[in-house]
Amino acid sequence: MRATVMNKAGDVAIAHVPDATILHPTDAVIRVTRACICGSDLWPYNDGPNVAGQQMGHEAIGVVEAVGSAVEKIKVGQVVVMPFAFSDGTCLFCEDGLHTACNHGGFFGVGGEIGGAQAEALRVPFADGTLYPLPVGEDDALMPSLLTLSDVMGTGHHAAITSRVRQGGVVAVVGDGAVGLCGVIAAKRLGAEQIIIMGRHQARLDLARAFGATDVVSARGEEAIEQVRSLTQGLGVQSVLECVGHAQAIETSMGIVRKGGAVGRVGVPHYPAIPAAQPMFFGNVTVAGGPAPVRAYIDELLPEVMDGKIEPGRVFDRTVTLDGVPDGYRAMNERSALKVLIRP
Amino acid sequence: MRATVMNKAGDVAIAHVPDATILHPTDAVIRVTRACICGSDLWPYNDGPNVAGQQMGHEAIGVVEAVGSAVEKIKVGQVVVMPFAFSDGTCLFCEDGLHTACNHGGFFGVGGEIGGAQAEALRVPFADGTLYPLPVGEDDALMPSLLTLSDVMGTGHHAAITSRVRQGGVVAVVGDGAVGLCGVIAAKRLGAEQIIIMGRHQARLDLARAFGATDVVSARGEEAIEQVRSLTQGLGVQSVLECVGHAQAIETSMGIVRKGGAVGRVGVPHYPAIPAAQPMFFGNVTVAGGPAPVRAYIDELLPEVMDGKIEPGRVFDRTVTLDGVPDGYRAMNERSALKVLIRP
């Protein structure tokens, strides 16, 4: 079958790889009908893969083609959304709703035995715990928004939950990528009254406003911090959704958070320590977040996607086939595309 | 009047200072009937005061001697407990229960215009917002436990709240000082099932066991981390009450916290950054805490002190008069006293 592989930094290609098959009784194999490229795929695209030939992609919707002998809930023929992490669904972490800490879990698209979603098909470990059946046909018009439940919408929601967005809250979203934009949607639906989007790309900022952002800050560093403070009576924001992961993003987050407020991190941190441990302490500031347990959030978010109450699929601004994936990486890396949808 | 002053590192003395008087209409003056020495007083005792002649002490029970013209709730003659921070009781932070972030608030015993509690009397700003009347006479037998509501019991409770101790929870308390021991009480009353106390002083560890600790770890560094992990099926603890503030204490905390768990910091941090930002992220670990809003916690804790359900006053193992305060500092600094009560 054909799949996306990362050979080395900047060298992403479509290659023939062994067909996805059932390896364990709890596996399923899905035919991928929708996948996409993630902002986090740009880290190995720029810095090099975990392993040469790393199979890429961790977001998918597909049709179940086969299930192992121990799979009980997932059935052949179902249309399913696949969270970016697999999870057994039964360990104490899964039962607690933290599927990304599953005792037997892991991540798709990171190399090794686990495949990637930017492919014709994919083996899914722990199918019953991982996959979530969708109440639609495989070409439903809602596919783009449904696909975001595999990562970016659930991740934006996690940033909002871990930064404790509340009714009437004052919020800033650091980063105008797809996750940041989904963070705006999440903050809005949780009742935030003021939502400051921090970014520099006009089309994305326009989309943020359409999703509910009330203010835009495009400055960086100290100037950005001052602007957020002046938008919030000098107090800063109660909730910071940190959707980037750069050192400057966490520094800005610590600079704009209000006393008693919280920073919810969902950008994979490319810094070794949380700065400002003392002001953070004296301000009773909370830092939380991590890989989003998107599997746990589908129950809450799916009905609103189905109703059209939220439209996170609007983050996709380009669609490619598998052959177009290398171009898709280039476009996202150059910021000429926001998020690229793949129809294998 | 007589008060405790810190002249320079190691030089704490009883001095004559101007009498405490009403300066602002919202002030009260209390005659101090009980005060104490705090572990945090040992920082200036070792490193030098904020200002020469810094008036020391921030924990008190007293009798109201005078109130300003704008004081409405607090009355002359009342026996009151004084939290270590003053707060107006009306700003958005106070209304949110975060009195230590009060827009007009501050801390006692830090030098400058604000006095210290290790004295015959003290001016209390924002008397209505700060002081809490007690339903007892000034020499009630419960005084030691009631006095802990001014700081250490509320601070231990804050560590437990911000580290999200829950019914059936698995908890570690880093530090066997008075705050750590109150943290054990707090964790126990919130329903923790396993409470690991981490410390090295036998008498304190015995008291921790009496308060509800189920396990003791006296190792340090990597060895301590391994011991906590082996006590918790390799998973670490859900809640870490960090009651020290040294760099090693936060490193240990980050090493023993379970995925999805939380570290509640109440030891004033003597380190610039929270280490392990990446493992913290991948484990969805929360770091929270800060100066405890003890004023907000009195409503919840006072009834249990009155009923004898909790006995935090057992942390006091020595009582002195004002003249004995310099000896009290020496004893606490040498760890020959756990916490010294003062009857001025």
Side-chain angles (χ1 to χ4, degrees):
Chain A
M1 68 175 200
R2 301 170 75 223
T4 302
V5 297
M6 185 79 70
N7 295 309
K8 59 182 192 206
D11 178 3
V12 66
I14 305 303
H16 285 277
V17 302
D19 282 353
T21 55
I22 303 288
L23 294 183
H24 304 288
T26 51
D27 289 347
V29 168
I30 62 170
R31 171 172 54 86
V32 177
T33 57
R34 298 289 187 287
C36 51
I37 305 174
C38 186
S40 66
D41 292 332
L42 300 179
W43 293 109
Y45 186 69
N46 286 291
D47 300 340
N50 295 329
V51 292
Q54 179 178 338
Q55 292 188 33
M56 299 297 298
H58 51 260
E59 301 151 286
I61 286 175
V63 177
V64 179
E65 293 218 315
V67 296
S69 58
V71 174
E72 295 181 352
K73 297 178 195 160
I74 295 297
K75 310 291 182 198
V76 170
Q78 281 180 326
V79 176
V80 292
V81 59
M82 184 197 86
F84 67 85
F86 57 89
S87 50
D88 63 20
T90 58
C91 76
L92 80 172
F93 291 106
C94 288
E95 295 209 333
D96 230 21
L98 189 62
H99 297 72
T100 38
C102 173
N103 281 333
H104 302 101
F107 300 101
F108 292 102
V110 296
E113 185 190 58
I114 305 301
Q118 297 159 4
E120 291 179 328
L122 181 62
R123 179 179 72 88
V124 178
F126 302 106
D128 281 339
T130 304
L131 297 172
Y132 194 108
L134 295 173
V136 293
E138 72 175 88
D139 282 316
D140 193 276
L142 289 174
M143 277 299 150
S145 284
L146 292 168
L147 179 58
T148 68
L149 299 178
S150 69
D151 186 345
V152 288
M153 184 61 225
T155 295
H157 181 69
H158 192 54
I161 292 291
T162 55
S163 66
R164 302 193 304 234
V165 173
R166 55 182 174 179
Q167 197 69 36
V170 176
V171 173
V173 178
V174 179
D176 60 3
V179 171
L181 295 171
C182 288
V184 173
I185 295 174
K188 175 77 176 172
R189 65 179 287 284
L190 290 168
E193 195 170 292
Q194 185 178 16
I195 303 173
I196 303 167
I197 179 77
M198 304 183 73
R200 303 163 72 87
H201 301 86
Q202 195 56 50
R204 302 176 185 195
L205 298 171
D206 291 345
L207 190 51
R209 287 215 185 255
F211 284 160
T214 55
D215 301 275
V216 170
V217 167
S218 292
R220 282 186 176 157
E222 280 303 316
E223 200 185 334
I225 292 170
E226 277 169 34
Q227 287 183 17
V228 172
R229 294 207 163 258
S230 81
L231 285 167
T232 54
Q233 294 85 49
L235 297 171
V237 300
Q238 295 165 320
S239 301
V240 181
L241 287 68
E242 200 290 272
C243 303
V244 179
H246 283 130
Q248 190 179 52
I250 190 70
E251 280 162 21
T252 298
S253 298
M254 301 308 277
I256 63 177
V257 65
R258 182 178 298 191
K259 288 179 178 183
V263 176
R265 299 188 297 161
V266 293
V268 176
H270 285 66
Y271 49 83
I274 311 281
Q278 286 154 347
M280 174 186 163
F281 177 86
F282 286 106
N284 263 288
V285 165
T286 296
V287 175
V294 301
R295 181 64 175 73
Y297 295 145
I298 297 175
D299 279 343
E300 181 175 346
L301 298 172
L302 176 60
E304 296 190 19
V305 168
M306 295 302 299
D307 289 353
K309 271 193 199 164
I310 59 173
E311 298 181 289
R314 293 173 69 185
V315 298
F316 293 108
D317 58 352
R318 186 173 304 193
T319 300
V320 298
T321 61
L322 268 190
D323 287 329
V325 166
D327 272 342
Y329 272 80
R330 265 189 294 277
M332 279 182 61
N333 202 44
E334 291 164 353
R335 304 287 187 271
S336 65
L338 168 52
K339 191 168 176 73
V340 174
L341 192 146
I342 303 165
R343 297 183 65 153
Chain B
M1 68 176 200
R2 301 169 75 222
T4 302
V5 298
M6 185 78 71
N7 294 308
K8 60 182 191 204
D11 178 3
V12 65
I14 305 304
H16 285 277
V17 303
D19 281 352
T21 56
I22 303 290
L23 293 182
H24 303 289
T26 50
D27 289 347
V29 169
I30 63 170
R31 171 172 55 85
V32 178
T33 55
R34 297 290 187 287
C36 50
I37 305 173
C38 185
S40 66
D41 293 332
L42 300 179
W43 293 109
Y45 186 70
N46 285 290
D47 300 340
N50 295 328
V51 292
Q54 180 180 337
Q55 291 187 33
M56 299 296 298
H58 50 259
E59 301 152 285
I61 286 175
V63 177
V64 179
E65 293 218 314
V67 296
S69 59
V71 174
E72 294 180 353
K73 296 179 196 159
I74 295 298
K75 309 294 182 194
V76 170
Q78 281 180 325
V79 176
V80 292
V81 59
M82 184 197 86
F84 68 85
F86 56 90
S87 50
D88 65 18
T90 58
C91 76
L92 80 171
F93 291 106
C94 287
E95 294 208 333
D96 230 20
L98 190 60
H99 297 72
T100 38
C102 173
N103 281 332
H104 302 101
F107 300 100
F108 292 101
V110 296
E113 186 190 57
I114 305 301
Q118 296 159 4
E120 291 179 327
L122 180 63
R123 178 179 73 87
V124 178
F126 303 108
D128 281 341
T130 304
L131 296 172
Y132 194 108
L134 294 174
V136 294
E138 70 175 89
D139 281 316
D140 193 275
L142 290 174
M143 277 299 149
S145 285
L146 292 167
L147 180 58
T148 67
L149 299 177
S150 69
D151 188 345
V152 288
M153 185 60 226
T155 295
H157 181 68
H158 191 54
I161 292 292
T162 56
S163 66
R164 303 192 305 233
V165 173
R166 56 182 174 179
Q167 197 69 38
V170 176
V171 173
V173 177
V174 179
D176 60 3
V179 170
L181 295 171
C182 288
V184 172
I185 296 174
K188 175 76 177 173
R189 65 179 286 286
L190 290 168
E193 196 170 292
Q194 185 178 17
I195 303 174
I196 303 167
I197 179 77
M198 304 182 73
R200 303 163 72 86
H201 301 84
Q202 195 54 51
R204 301 176 186 195
L205 298 171
D206 291 345
L207 191 50
R209 287 217 184 251
F211 285 160
T214 55
D215 301 275
V216 170
V217 167
S218 291
R220 283 188 176 156
E222 280 304 316
E223 199 185 334
I225 293 170
E226 276 168 35
Q227 288 184 16
V228 171
R229 294 206 163 259
S230 82
L231 285 167
T232 55
Q233 293 83 50
L235 296 171
V237 299
Q238 294 164 319
S239 302
V240 182
L241 287 68
E242 199 291 272
C243 304
V244 178
H246 284 129
Q248 190 179 53
I250 189 72
E251 280 162 22
T252 298
S253 299
M254 301 307 278
I256 62 177
V257 65
R258 183 177 297 191
K259 288 180 178 184
V263 176
R265 298 188 297 161
V266 294
V268 176
H270 285 67
Y271 49 85
I274 310 281
Q278 287 154 346
M280 174 185 162
F281 177 86
F282 286 106
N284 263 287
V285 166
T286 295
V287 176
V294 299
R295 181 64 174 75
Y297 295 144
I298 298 176
D299 279 344
E300 181 175 346
L301 299 173
L302 176 59
E304 296 189 21
V305 169
M306 296 302 299
D307 288 353
K309 271 193 200 163
I310 59 173
E311 297 181 288
R314 292 173 69 186
V315 298
F316 293 107
D317 58 352
R318 187 173 303 193
T319 301
V320 298
T321 62
L322 268 190
D323 287 328
V325 166
D327 271 342
Y329 272 80
R330 264 189 294 277
M332 279 182 62
N333 202 46
E334 292 165 353
R335 304 288 187 272
S336 66
L338 168 53
K339 191 167 176 73
V340 173
L341 192 146
I342 303 166
R343 299 184 65 154

